[in-house]
Amino acid sequence: MAMTHTDWSDLPQTLRDAVECKSGRVVSARTVAAGLNSQIAAVLETAEGRVFLKGVPLEARTALASQRREAAINQCVLAVSPQLLWSAETEGWNLLAFEYISGGHADYAPGSPHLDDVVKVANRLHRVTAPDLPELRAADQRWSAWAGVDDAGLLSGDSLLHTDFAGHNILIGEEGGAWMIDWAWATRGASFIDPACLLIRLIDAGHSAKNAELWAQQCDGWAGADDRAVDVFAAAAARMWDDIAKAEPLQWKVSMARSAQKWASYRKGAS
């Protein structure tokens, strides 16, 4: 369930004081519209510079687990992600403060100049060794309900995966280059899964399934992927997004379900 963002000015004074003890006096604050899982998502202009602050109440257990996962993995993904400056659990909240990256969110539309940078950041991530962290999810377990017990093992692997390639999770820097944010769904699994997650987003942005796969094939993680494993994941992703859309039929979820089904149908036809 998506969270409604709370503006900085509406936070309890005791919480704002705790943040300022860590980041310095806040001169101004701007709530970020994008993002679904954090109740606080704000760019803070402080006396010591800009920081991006995100926070969830401690009683929001699912979001809390995701945010703790993001904090745990940060030092391992600095090649592709902003640095976590500090974290704290105080005044009933879990808080993460990241270095601020100037830029905007990735545009996935056909012909977008951002696509090359998105592939490049996916390839930088592919070179990162998956850490041995208990917070990391396992792909074969995560998708087993939709892949089936017999086929879920085809999704296992040792690659570090981001898995949530929504455009608002990829920052395009003002001076070029791309950065990945929001590691709530960090997973260990087969390397082709990240390019596959990306290509579903590309289909949702207007690419054909064939063209989206051509972009995925430019990702190092796709190289050597077993066709059977890719087919299993495509079908599992379609079932997963269908369940998500039926449980909460928001427009973007329904659209993602259609896009995942387009890819699964394309894979079935190609096979």
Side-chain angles (χ1 to χ4, degrees):
M1 183 70 69
M3 289 188 176
T4 300
H5 292 166
T6 300
D7 292 337
W8 170 258
S9 59
D10 293 329
L11 296 174
Q13 185 63 52
T14 53
L15 184 61
R16 285 183 282 162
D17 289 344
V19 172
E20 290 188 321
C21 284
K22 294 278 192 179
S23 285
R25 180 174 60 87
V26 174
V27 177
S28 64
R30 171 175 58 86
T31 298
V32 175
L36 304 172
N37 299 318
S38 299
Q39 190 168 332
I40 301 171
V43 177
L44 305 181
E45 191 78 50
T46 79
E48 300 177 14
R50 287 180 184 172
V51 298
F52 175 66
L53 179 72
K54 58 190 300 188
V56 298
L58 294 181
E59 67 265 20
R61 294 187 177 182
T62 300
L64 177 62
S66 296
Q67 189 142 300
R68 286 173 173 167
R69 182 179 301 116
E70 186 168 7
I73 202 170
N74 181 257
Q75 290 299 310
C76 304
V77 295
L78 295 181
V80 296
S81 298
Q83 183 171 14
L84 177 66
L85 302 175
W86 58 263
S87 63
E89 293 194 356
T90 182
E91 301 296 329
W93 288 78
N94 177 284
L95 303 171
L96 304 179
F98 292 89
E99 76 173 301
Y100 179 76
I101 301 292
S102 296
H105 300 297
D107 176 8
Y108 287 161
S112 168
H114 296 167
L115 297 178
D116 284 333
D117 282 333
V118 174
V119 168
K120 288 177 182 177
V121 77
N123 288 342
R124 294 207 311 272
L125 174 59
H126 181 65
R127 294 192 289 271
V128 175
T129 301
D132 185 16
L133 292 174
E135 291 86 356
L136 270 184
R137 306 186 72 181
D140 54 331
Q141 297 175 4
R142 180 174 162 187
W143 279 282
S144 63
W146 300 285
V149 176
D150 293 339
D151 288 332
L154 293 171
L155 309 182
S156 63
D158 296 323
S159 292
L160 175 61
L161 309 171
H162 183 279
T163 76
D164 189 357
F165 276 78
H168 59 254
N169 286 336
I170 307 295
L171 295 179
I172 304 298
E174 288 183 351
E175 298 180 0
W179 304 89
M180 309 178 83
I181 60 174
D182 196 344
W183 287 82
W185 295 100
T187 299
R188 179 187 288 105
S191 63
F192 75 84
I193 290 176
D194 259 359
C197 291
L198 170 60
L199 77 83
I200 294 173
R201 295 285 179 174
L202 295 181
I203 294 170
D204 200 51
H207 295 254
S208 68
K210 179 179 180 179
N211 191 58
E213 272 209 7
L214 290 176
W215 279 105
Q217 288 168 12
Q218 296 183 48
C219 297
D220 295 340
W222 190 271
D226 177 78
D227 283 342
R228 171 62 180 156
V230 175
D231 290 344
V232 165
F233 183 78
R239 296 183 192 112
M240 179 191 75
W241 279 109
D242 185 60
D243 285 350
I244 289 172
K246 286 178 179 176
E248 190 179 21
L250 298 176
Q251 189 279 331
W252 74 269
K253 294 183 178 182
V254 172
S255 181
M256 282 297 294
R258 289 172 180 161
S259 299
Q261 185 56 57
K262 286 180 182 178
W263 182 44
S265 297
Y266 172 78
R267 291 295 306 182
K268 189 176 294 184
S271 298

